[in-house]
Amino acid sequence: MSDSILTIPPSPTLSTHSVRFQTSTALRDNKPEQTSGLSSLGLLNPESASSHSHARRPSNATSMTEVDTDDGRSDAGHRHVNSAATSMTHVNATQSSKQTKSSEGESSDDSSKKDDKKDDKKKDKKKGAKSEDDGKTAHQLELEQDAAINPTPFAFKPYQLAHMLDPKNLDTLAGFGGAVGLLRGLGTNAERGLTTHQNEKVGAGEGASQRHDSESADNQYAEKEKVPEIMLTAPSGQTVTATPQDEDPLASKATIEDRKRVYGENVLPIRASKSLLQLMWMALKDKVLVLLCIAAVVSLALGLFQDFGTPRTNDEPPVDWVEGVAIMVAVSIVVVVGSVNDWQKERQFRVLNEKKEERGVKVIRDGLEKVVDIKEVVVGDIALLEPGEILPCDGVFLSGHNVKCDESGATGESDAIKKATFEEIVEMYRKAQEHGKDPSTLHCDCFMVSGSKVLEGVGKYVIVAVGTKSFNGRIMMALRGDTENTPLQLKLNALAELIAKIGSAAGLALFIALMIRFFVQLGTGEPPRTPNQKGIAFVNILIISVTLIVVAVPEGLPLAVTLALAFATKRMTQENLLVRVLGSCETMANASVICTDKTGTLTQNVMSVVAGSIGVNCKFVRHLHENAARSNADETEQSESTGQTVRKHVDDFSIDQAQLNDALSPAIRDLFNEAIAVNSTAFQDTNPETGEVVFVGSKTETALLQFASDLKWRDFKTTRDEATVIQMIPFSSERKAMGVVIKLPSGQYRFYAKGASEILSKRCDSRIVVRKGDGAAEGPVETVPIDDLARENISRTIIFYANQTLRTIALCYRDFPSWPPTDMDLNEEQEIAYEDLAQDMTLIAITGIEDPLRLGVTEAVGKCNRAGVTVKMCTGDNVLTARSIAAQCGIFSSGGIIMEGPVFRKLSNAERLEIVPRLQVLARSSPEDKKILVETLKSIGEIVGVTGDGTNDGPALKTANVGFSMGIAGTEVAKEASDIILMDDNFKSIVQAIMWGRCVNDAVRKFLQFQISTNVTAVVITFVSAVSSVEEESVLTAVQLLWINIIMDTFAALALATDPATESLLNRKPDRKTAPLFSVDMYKMILMQSIYQIIIILVFHFRGEHFLGLDDVENGHRILTTLVFNAFVFAQIFNSVNCRRLDNKLNIFEGIIKNRYFIAITLLEIAIQVVIVFVGGAAFQVTRIGGREWGISLALGFVSIPWGAIIRCMPNGPFYKLFDLLGLFGKPEVLPTASPDREGWGGALALVQDNLSTFSNIRGARLRSSSFVNRSRNARTNAGEHPVASIMTIAPTMVMAAAVAGSTYKTQAGSLSDPAHADPSKSSAALWEGKLQIHPETPKDDPFYRKFAGQRNMV
């Protein structure tokens, strides 16, 4: 007992919330008249429970722990319980007193102390004492949640069951009494399943209570205790008693609703998606919009005062209030467009998920197989296992045949995990320990993990955790989090603040200047004014100052961002990209590295037979005319006798795979087909999403079945059903082969084998003969012995295919006249050993299988490289396949490095920083390696996009700046953690995301370039003209400014934000995250366009009458103001065309035809301006003008375009110096060259901290809810806070701990911390001695080449 690895967990029904009836009168509230005992559950609620100390209820399946206290007395006497099958375990208090106390609560004697403690706790809380969650793990916090749950009528609490699988713990299950005790405690039956329709009454009947002992209770228990007990031995050597399979009368009669009440439903809480109003409120909190709202209120108040609080001339309409209303309209448009877009996107994502979630689960209920909706599955259901199924819930395996699960999607475990019953596993673990083996290397257990996939076999399991308590559900909940601001949002917020400050400063300066003049006028009495007029004059000064601030604020900016994103996300959805997080769209513009999976993203994830050799001479290739290099039939050598070049194997011939039937006789076709169909566990099924019939099973087997199906050979099912199977040998990674023995119609027996070609070909001594044009030949299959020439041909062919990274599979057979064969003995299972059968076989064929590249991937990788985005491949596959695919699609190029995950994760921080920029392929990588790679890339300033499809990719997807998940192959967890979903699982779509990201960023910048120049001009001319005017009148009236400021902004946002993404966007490198929002080109354009516009407006404003010879004072002044207004508007319209380019290239009309919005809006702006001039006289204070004035205003506006071309030709150097001097580019960011906190003990501590944070991300959703944890996490230590001495005081402790732990703690093989531990592809590491491979075209003077030189590191 003392050397036990693990101890049995505390009793499932013991808790501080157990109920004790203080007096016998309290039992009256137990409603004994009720026929259902469920009505008395109210007495057991946590509130009433918390006020009483602990006393146990009778329990039917209790694992009881007797604790030796420090004084040597046992506390068993306090807690004696009549129990049907109580197993007693003796635990030494010194080892586990803490665990026992925390989980079992105090005895009833301590109740008064407990109440006192509660009062003390309350006082402590008032004083601001530490949180209760201080220092507790996620598991402890979850078990505390358990304490508040009353599991009656069941024996187990929810998280006790959930923690049995996370991590997998066989001793916990043993503590429950094994699978038998588990079934009993959950009130279910392995054969009948749950009982849903009960004919008898529920409860104890009239006048009896279900809660307190009936008269016969003691007899009932006494009888039960006479039933012989089953003893189970846990892997640690503990013996526990399993309850016999007689059902718990209470638990078995519980309703489905009871199960949902105690254990929850199999649904994740729908993420409280925000309502439209909430989304609108969030949108309104934007800094720019807050600024606009303030401006609108002030403008509206002053406008109403001007219109209705002051006397007006007859021809002046009361329209000053319009500006305030118009700003409000602009804000409303932004809020509505943004929030509706978010709302639609959220709904779209939910519909996608719901479609994925809608499926039935086969369960046994009332002794019948039923298909129930996945959401209706409950704890205690007996669910059935079938190949291809994704497990909906956690459970414990009960029975079945050859069940294997792929848990890579859930835990990262790369090997298939065999499932066996609890009793079988205990026995296997015992044998393994006897032989000194690590039981975890058996890759065998009895736990069914939600999210994993059944590869083969059939069986059933009992469900123990559903919904948020299941493994999958808890990871899903942990990944839920709020999104951060994107780089663009942060820059725009800063810009909004800056503009508000500048605008306010300009407004204040104008107010001060006008007030000085106002005071001078008051002092001199010129012009003479009545007190009322003086008041109005002051208000006018205030109005013009506020107008200036309103003009400075770019109302169109949030609209431009919102429209650009809305437009881009809509178009991206059409291109198979579902954007979940809007900000990720902008972030992709700056993406500099993409870390992509191989399988399914770069490749099709459909294994296919692409080449092969039948017999020895018939070499077939799929699409031979395109892939002639895949056949070695025409290989030549130099003749030793004549010296001439001759064909090496004269009988070899090549043939297209589709024409194989012309070369193979009917007998060979039948033999080949039978070897494929009978020796296989794959089957056919209908894909629920596409509706097409597909093969389901291992990828190798489905490839071979598809190969036979494509050649129109006899249906595999008919062939399989007709065969009489005598013995089956399942595939195992040790022998790398599988086989089947069948009885032939002739009465003979035939053994078919299929497996690794390099192993099986050596076990063959003969081969079938295939000649060209034998398709119609009748007669039996001809075989000949394998001579040296044929042996050399076989081995050469296998190497030839292996060099193309094809997976080579050999198919062989052997005939026996009788069964069992006379010279062979049956083993204990009455079967012939595989080693005896797989001798002297006949080779049928060797097939080459691969997962082909997706169409367009090579071009997509080329485009990424052109765009300055580095593509890195992270795959769990072996290094040879990874290298081949990387080379095929252009990822592995000159100067690049290939490394394996196990080597990569052992690198020091300094080595990693050196290697990561050059790393192109990371083979055999675990999800943790991927996460380390992403973190390293981010630490050197890269913006990283990551693709992932498995549950285990969640952390890397969450860590990346932008996470891409797969819409088809992706798990729910991957989708939840991602920002963008690739609906077609294709790498090509990532290039589209980069293009659209850049398009969004460019749209915002184009708009800013236009908007800021308009605003600068408007502010300057308003300021200058107001100061120079005696009446404090601006060159542009408030309503004219409204048209320019609001309508033009909104229209420009629409026009410039809707430019479609083009391939030309990929012709430049990505911007850094810290790059300023404005480039030199943009600042230059804004400055020079503003200067031009200011000059023409002010010149015409002050000297226009002189230029144009306008004599009539009143009418002439009105014509001049109209001309100035017209010229200013057309200057903006033409400048908007000019702003379609951000660089120095001159073609501003590129792609204008594709943007119909731009053309339509520009024409609409011109039309409205013409209408304003002709009929808007009163409101806009304009008058009709003649042809000369129209010509002048159009010409002045049009000059913006040629002037823009001149500006683009100006050198950038002097402008950069000027703008840098003004501090417009901010401070340059210097990247750290070293990470001081990563050296020495600090590095060790930081590593531990990283590991813990990773673990908490995956496992710790509930831990995160703790306020204390959040506070302690957010606290950052300063470098100088702890002197070295204080750190070193813990050194002896750490050294001691390491020494002790070193001998006892072992990383579980294949566990989450090291998923690739038992990866069979490790053998590839033996192909070279070096740690990495450098591309052969790397220049010799490359520092990496010099550092890692040597043939062993070259490919």
Side-chain angles (χ1 to χ4, degrees):
M1 284 299 300
S2 58
D3 60 351
S4 154
I5 301 167
L6 297 158
T7 56
I8 288 188
S11 164
T13 50
L14 255 177
S15 83
T16 53
H17 292 290
S18 295
V19 174
R20 183 166 70 93
F21 296 113
Q22 289 178 320
T23 64
S24 57
T25 52
L27 290 173
R28 290 176 193 162
D29 297 329
N30 210 7
K31 297 182 183 165
E33 73 283 355
Q34 293 288 327
T35 53
S36 166
L38 297 175
S39 59
S40 58
L41 286 179
L43 284 167
L44 303 174
N45 66 23
E47 288 78 24
S48 63
S50 60
S51 62
H52 307 302
S53 65
H54 167 71
R56 296 275 305 275
R57 283 189 303 283
S59 160
N60 295 308
T62 304
S63 140
M64 185 162 166
T65 311
E66 178 181 330
V67 181
D68 271 0
T69 51
D70 293 331
D71 59 357
R73 286 177 290 116
S74 168
D75 73 340
H78 290 299
R79 295 179 277 102
H80 180 66
V81 180
N82 273 329
S83 173
T86 304
S87 69
M88 295 279 289
T89 310
H90 189 85
V91 182
N92 193 325
T94 53
Q95 288 177 3
S96 58
S97 57
K98 281 184 186 173
Q99 178 189 351
T100 313
K101 278 178 192 168
S102 66
S103 54
E104 295 206 4
E106 304 85 34
S107 71
S108 54
D109 298 344
D110 298 318
S111 60
S112 57
K113 289 179 190 171
K114 195 169 167 187
D115 290 340
D116 293 342
K117 279 180 190 169
K118 278 193 178 172
D119 294 337
D120 290 343
K121 272 186 189 172
K122 284 178 187 171
K123 286 173 192 168
D124 286 349
K125 279 194 176 174
K126 284 177 187 171
K127 289 177 191 170
K130 281 188 179 182
S131 163
E132 287 179 13
D133 293 344
D134 189 351
K136 290 179 184 173
T137 64
H139 274 208
Q140 284 171 333
L141 290 170
E142 287 174 346
L143 286 170
E144 279 184 15
Q145 289 182 34
D146 253 1
I149 297 169
N150 171 28
T152 310
F154 309 106
F156 313 115
K157 294 195 172 188
Y159 281 112
Q160 280 185 311
L161 293 174
H163 288 177
M164 180 168 58
L165 285 97
D166 182 16
K168 294 175 180 175
N169 192 333
L170 207 61
D171 280 354
T172 304
L173 180 54
F176 292 160
V180 182
L182 187 68
L183 289 169
R184 179 183 169 78
L186 292 175
T188 186
N189 183 294
E191 305 306 320
R192 289 201 315 275
L194 292 182
T195 308
T196 53
H197 305 294
Q198 296 172 1
N199 301 324
E200 72 275 13
K201 287 181 180 178
V202 177
E206 290 290 340
S209 166
Q210 208 173 320
R211 290 285 169 268
H212 51 274
D213 294 350
S214 65
E215 290 175 73
S216 60
D218 294 335
N219 300 335
Q220 168 198 331
Y221 284 123
E223 281 171 34
K224 284 196 176 181
E225 281 167 357
K226 289 174 193 168
V227 178
E229 296 175 338
I230 299 169
M231 299 300 289
L232 299 173
T233 308
S236 57
Q238 292 171 298
T239 34
V240 269
T241 318
T243 318
Q245 187 55 43
D246 52 346
E247 291 178 9
D248 180 328
L250 302 185
S252 61
K253 291 178 182 176
T255 62
I256 299 290
E257 281 60 42
D258 283 343
R259 293 178 186 279
K260 288 182 178 177
R261 172 182 62 79
V262 175
Y263 298 110
E265 297 186 45
N266 193 31
V267 287
L268 292 182
I270 292 172
R271 199 170 190 172
S273 65
K274 296 177 175 68
S275 66
L276 200 52
L277 287 173
Q278 282 174 309
L279 288 169
M280 286 178 174
W281 176 242
M282 282 172 66
L284 263 173
K285 288 181 184 171
D286 184 79
K287 281 184 182 172
V288 185
L289 292 184
V290 170
L291 200 65
L292 283 176
C293 291
I294 295 166
V297 171
V298 175
S299 178
L300 183 62
L302 293 175
L304 290 170
F305 171 77
Q306 256 186 317
D307 288 340
F308 308 111
T310 58
R312 303 183 76 83
T313 53
N314 293 332
D315 63 335
E316 215 179 335
V319 288
D320 288 304
W321 58 271
V322 176
E323 178 148 11
V325 170
I327 297 176
M328 288 177 175
V329 169
V331 170
S332 307
I333 291 172
V334 171
V335 169
V336 169
V337 170
S339 51
V340 167
N341 191 49
D342 273 352
W343 186 64
Q344 281 181 327
K345 179 173 58 68
E346 194 62 39
R347 275 180 51 208
Q348 203 174 0
F349 177 62
R350 189 162 310 125
V351 167
L352 177 86
N353 262 0
E354 279 169 2
K355 251 192 244 164
K356 189 96 178 165
E357 284 166 10
E358 282 171 14
R359 65 180 178 108
V361 178
K362 275 191 184 172
V363 297
I364 300 174
R365 285 189 184 173
D366 304 313
L368 302 170
E369 275 189 31
K370 294 180 180 176
V371 176
V372 299
D373 185 54
I374 190 167
K375 292 170 187 163
E376 293 302 315
V377 176
V378 291
V379 169
D381 258 323
I382 307 296
L384 301 177
L385 296 164
E386 288 178 351
E389 186 189 3
I390 306 287
L391 299 186
C393 317
D394 294 346
V396 172
F397 186 75
L398 295 176
S399 64
H401 172 67
N402 197 33
V403 175
K404 285 186 185 168
C405 289
D406 173 12
E407 292 180 2
S408 61
T411 63
E413 171 65 77
S414 54
D415 276 10
I417 309 292
K418 188 170 169 49
K419 300 297 171 186
T421 64
F422 171 74
E423 288 79 9
E424 289 168 348
I425 296 294
V426 168
E427 184 59 24
M428 285 167 67
Y429 273 37
R430 190 181 58 74
K431 281 183 180 173
Q433 283 174 337
E434 279 175 8
H435 292 97
K437 289 182 186 172
D438 180 2
S440 56
T441 57
L442 297 172
H443 296 293
C444 194
D445 62 48
C446 59
F447 298 107
M448 312 302 294
V449 180
S450 52
S452 54
K453 186 178 184 179
V454 182
L455 293 176
E456 55 184 284
V458 290
K460 59 187 175 186
Y461 67 107
V462 59
I463 289 171
V464 298
V466 295
T468 54
K469 295 175 184 75
S470 66
F471 183 89
N472 208 41
R474 289 158 80 189
I475 293 184
M476 287 288 277
M477 297 304 289
L479 289 171
R480 292 190 172 181
D482 293 325
T483 53
E484 299 170 359
N485 273 348
T486 63
L488 183 64
Q489 283 169 326
L490 294 170
K491 289 175 189 171
L492 291 178
N493 283 345
L495 179 70
E497 283 179 24
L498 181 68
I499 287 172
K501 285 173 189 168
I502 294 171
S504 303
L508 185 65
L510 179 61
F511 181 72
I512 291 168
L514 293 179
M515 283 307 289
I516 290 169
R517 192 169 66 186
F518 178 66
F519 287 133
V520 169
Q521 288 171 347
L522 282 179
T524 59
E526 285 290 325
R529 287 171 174 151
T530 63
N532 190 32
Q533 284 174 324
K534 285 174 186 171
I536 289 169
F538 172 74
V539 170
N540 281 344
I541 290 170
L542 197 61
I543 287 169
I544 196 88
S545 305
V546 171
T547 305
L548 187 75
I549 296 172
V550 171
V551 166
V553 176
E555 313 67 296
L557 182 55
L559 184 64
V561 178
T562 307
L563 285 174
L565 284 171
F567 179 72
T569 48
K570 209 158 188 63
R571 290 292 296 273
M572 284 166 85
T573 305
Q574 292 166 11
E575 293 178 16
N576 292 316
L577 288 157
L578 177 61
V579 180
R580 290 194 56 227
V581 179
L582 265 184
S584 59
C585 203
E586 306 159 17
T587 312
M588 274 313 289
N590 304 329
S592 53
V593 178
I594 302 288
C595 298
T596 176
D597 272 353
K598 174 184 74 71
T599 311
T601 312
L602 298 172
T603 62
Q604 293 175 18
N605 198 18
V606 178
M607 284 291 192
S608 312
V609 176
V610 292
S613 161
I614 302 177
V616 168
N617 307 125
C618 174
K619 316 284 185 183
F620 67 87
V621 179
R622 187 160 81 164
H623 308 313
L624 180 63
H625 58 291
E626 293 172 18
N627 303 297
R630 284 212 141 142
S631 169
N632 62 342
D634 299 322
E635 200 175 10
T636 56
E637 65 176 0
Q638 202 165 13
S639 168
E640 289 178 6
S641 55
T642 61
Q644 292 179 319
T645 303
V646 294
R647 280 184 65 199
K648 202 166 186 180
H649 297 277
V650 288
D651 294 329
D652 285 7
F653 62 94
S654 299
I655 189 167
D656 193 291
Q657 190 169 308
Q659 296 164 346
L660 265 180
N661 291 338
D662 299 339
L664 305 182
S665 67
I668 290 177
R669 269 178 273 172
D670 289 343
L671 175 75
F672 200 165
N673 188 37
E674 193 170 63
I676 292 171
V678 177
N679 190 15
S680 170
T681 56
F683 60 95
Q684 242 174 358
D685 199 5
T686 306
N687 184 333
E689 286 171 21
T690 59
E692 50 186 334
V693 177
V694 290
F695 287 105
V696 180
S698 103
K699 289 174 183 174
T700 307
E701 296 190 0
T702 55
L704 287 165
L705 286 171
Q706 193 60 52
F707 164 76
S709 173
D710 292 344
L711 287 168
K712 305 282 189 294
W713 289 352
R714 192 160 178 251
D715 179 55
F716 85 99
K717 194 157 181 358
T718 315
T719 309
R720 193 182 288 176
D721 292 347
E722 285 178 4
T724 308
V725 176
I726 305 299
Q727 180 181 332
M728 285 196 83
I729 297 159
F731 179 83
S732 89
S733 50
E734 288 84 47
R735 57 175 166 257
K736 288 190 166 54
M738 64 188 290
V740 63
V741 179
I742 63 168
K743 186 175 183 180
L744 298 175
S746 61
Q748 284 190 310
Y749 296 84
R750 179 169 289 167
F751 168 62
Y752 283 115
K754 172 177 76 186
S757 54
E758 66 275 17
I759 294 169
L760 288 188
S761 60
K762 288 177 181 148
R763 291 174 171 268
C764 295
D765 63 357
S766 60
R767 60 180 176 92
I768 65 169
V769 178
V770 180
R771 297 184 185 85
K772 204 168 186 175
D774 266 8
E778 294 298 327
V781 175
E782 185 185 342
T783 62
V784 294
I786 296 177
D787 55 18
D788 290 343
L789 186 68
R791 180 81 59 197
E792 193 258 349
N793 193 343
I794 292 167
S795 130
R796 192 174 49 86
T797 301
I798 292 170
I799 294 166
F800 180 72
Y801 289 154
N803 287 340
Q804 301 171 46
T805 65
L806 301 183
R807 187 184 292 178
T808 54
I809 303 293
L811 293 105
C812 329
Y813 76 98
R814 180 183 178 186
D815 286 338
F816 298 97
S818 63
W819 194 263
T822 49
D823 54 343
M824 297 180 195
D825 298 324
L826 293 170
N827 61 16
E828 61 210 31
E829 290 161 4
Q830 298 302 301
E831 291 181 346
I832 303 291
Y834 166 79
E835 295 300 325
D836 295 337
L837 290 173
Q839 302 288 347
D840 309 329
M841 296 188 290
T842 304
L843 179 69
I844 303 172
I846 292 167
T847 56
I849 296 172
E850 81 166 353
D851 182 5
L853 275 183
R854 279 182 179 273
L855 291 170
V857 160
T858 311
E859 292 80 19
V861 171
K863 285 175 186 173
C864 282
N865 293 334
R866 195 175 88 217
V869 180
T870 314
V871 182
K872 299 184 188 297
M873 182 204 285
C874 303
T875 176
D877 218 330
N878 70 63
V879 74
L880 296 177
T881 308
R883 187 182 71 195
S884 166
I885 297 294
Q888 281 180 55
C889 62
I891 289 174
F892 190 38
S893 56
S894 175
I897 290 174
I898 295 180
M899 193 173 256
E900 291 197 316
V903 179
F904 177 74
R905 72 181 82 122
K906 287 175 190 164
L907 295 176
S908 70
N909 202 40
E911 288 173 326
R912 208 175 283 138
L913 288 171
E914 186 183 9
I915 278 175
V916 156
R918 302 282 288 271
L919 185 69
Q920 290 177 341
V921 179
L922 188 61
R924 280 203 318 109
S925 61
S926 71
E928 188 56 27
D929 297 332
K930 202 172 182 178
K931 186 168 179 282
I932 293 169
L933 176 62
V934 172
E935 284 172 342
T936 310
L937 286 165
K938 283 176 79 177
S939 73
I940 57 175
E942 304 284 6
I943 304 278
V944 189
V946 168
T947 69
D949 54 4
T951 300
N952 51 352
D953 290 324
L957 288 169
K958 207 71 177 160
T959 308
N961 298 93
V962 181
F964 291 90
S965 64
M966 306 297 147
I968 301 166
T971 61
E972 298 299 305
V973 170
K975 286 183 191 170
E976 185 69 34
S978 68
D979 305 298
I980 298 176
I981 298 175
L982 304 178
M983 306 293 281
D984 57 353
D985 291 13
N986 199 337
F987 183 80
K988 259 191 349 187
S989 303
I990 295 176
V991 179
Q992 294 294 327
I994 295 171
M995 257 165 52
W996 277 106
R998 292 185 178 189
C999 182
V1000 168
N1001 268 16
D1002 281 6
V1004 174
R1005 290 172 130 175
K1006 287 173 190 175
F1007 174 75
L1008 279 173
Q1009 184 173 290
F1010 170 75
Q1011 166 90 58
I1012 302 295
S1013 56
T1014 305
N1015 283 16
V1016 168
T1017 308
V1019 168
V1020 172
I1021 61 174
T1022 304
F1023 189 99
V1024 172
S1025 58
V1027 171
S1028 63
S1029 163
V1030 182
E1031 291 86 19
E1032 285 91 23
E1033 277 185 0
S1034 167
V1035 58
L1036 299 168
T1037 66
V1039 182
Q1040 288 173 353
L1041 272 175
L1042 167 71
W1043 161 237
I1044 291 161
N1045 205 31
I1046 303 293
I1047 315 297
M1048 299 284 285
D1049 283 359
T1050 311
F1051 278 178
L1054 262 169
L1056 292 169
T1058 50
D1059 264 347
T1062 59
E1063 292 267 328
S1064 61
L1065 290 167
L1066 299 173
N1067 294 336
R1068 63 170 200 250
K1069 300 286 180 273
D1071 292 329
R1072 293 197 80 79
K1073 195 174 186 174
T1074 51
L1077 197 55
F1078 294 88
S1079 63
V1080 183
D1081 293 321
M1082 289 169 69
Y1083 276 132
K1084 186 171 72 172
M1085 184 63 68
I1086 290 166
L1087 177 71
M1088 302 310 285
Q1089 285 286 359
S1090 300
I1091 288 173
Y1092 165 71
Q1093 290 174 11
I1094 290 166
I1095 290 170
I1096 60 164
I1097 298 302
L1098 293 181
V1099 165
F1100 272 87
H1101 176 60
F1102 290 114
R1103 306 295 295 156
E1105 290 176 6
H1106 177 69
F1107 291 157
L1108 301 170
L1110 298 169
D1111 300 324
D1112 182 5
V1113 176
E1114 184 55 43
N1115 193 39
H1117 181 68
R1118 184 58 70 86
I1119 287 172
L1120 182 63
T1121 55
T1122 306
L1123 186 149
V1124 169
F1125 171 57
N1126 215 20
F1128 187 60
V1129 169
F1130 278 107
Q1132 304 316 317
I1133 290 172
F1134 287 111
N1135 192 28
S1136 71
V1137 179
N1138 195 37
C1139 288
R1140 290 189 69 252
R1141 274 211 99 97
L1142 294 168
D1143 51 23
N1144 276 337
K1145 292 183 180 161
L1146 298 177
N1147 182 8
I1148 56 173
F1149 299 103
E1150 187 183 327
I1152 200 166
I1153 307 298
K1154 289 179 185 169
N1155 190 351
R1156 285 173 289 184
Y1157 289 98
F1158 187 89
I1159 297 167
I1161 287 165
T1162 306
L1163 293 173
L1164 183 64
E1165 285 173 344
I1166 294 169
I1168 293 175
Q1169 181 61 21
V1170 170
V1171 169
I1172 286 172
V1173 172
F1174 278 97
V1175 299
F1180 285 87
Q1181 293 172 17
V1182 291
T1183 186
R1184 293 191 181 194
I1185 52 175
R1188 181 184 65 158
E1189 284 76 20
W1190 268 108
I1192 291 169
S1193 51
L1194 278 168
L1196 289 173
F1198 181 76
V1199 169
S1200 287
I1201 289 180
W1203 176 236
I1206 293 166
I1207 296 166
R1208 285 188 167 92
C1209 294
M1210 293 177 185
N1212 279 3
F1215 285 100
Y1216 180 80
K1217 284 176 185 168
L1218 170 68
F1219 299 137
D1220 197 33
L1221 199 67
L1222 295 170
L1224 293 175
F1225 295 119
K1227 292 176 186 172
E1229 188 163 295
V1230 180
L1231 287 170
T1233 51
S1235 177
D1237 62 327
R1238 288 284 171 171
E1239 305 306 323
W1241 283 107
L1245 295 173
L1247 187 65
V1248 172
Q1249 183 189 353
D1250 282 358
N1251 290 344
L1252 289 173
S1253 68
T1254 301
F1255 208 68
S1256 74
N1257 265 337
I1258 299 175
R1259 304 281 172 87
R1262 283 153 200 85
L1263 188 61
R1264 269 188 239 161
S1265 62
S1266 152
S1267 58
F1268 177 79
V1269 172
N1270 288 331
R1271 280 204 307 279
S1272 70
R1273 252 193 211 158
N1274 294 332
R1276 290 280 176 269
T1277 54
N1278 296 324
E1281 210 170 23
H1282 301 291
V1284 175
S1286 71
I1287 292 284
M1288 291 312 291
T1289 55
I1290 63 167
T1293 320
M1294 292 180 76
V1295 171
M1296 229 7 241
V1300 175
S1303 59
T1304 55
Y1305 177 77
K1306 294 186 182 72
T1307 305
Q1308 188 184 341
S1311 66
L1312 197 63
S1313 58
D1314 184 15
H1317 183 79
D1319 191 335
S1321 64
K1322 264 193 172 172
S1323 57
S1324 62
L1327 291 171
W1328 57 83
E1329 294 168 22
K1331 291 184 177 180
L1332 48 79
Q1333 293 186 14
I1334 305 173
H1335 196 277
E1337 290 169 21
T1338 306
K1340 303 282 186 292
D1341 57 351
D1342 187 291
F1344 260 85
Y1345 184 86
R1346 288 209 298 270
K1347 185 169 181 178
F1348 301 104
Q1351 282 306 306
R1352 66 186 188 186
N1353 281 319
M1354 303 307 290
V1355 175

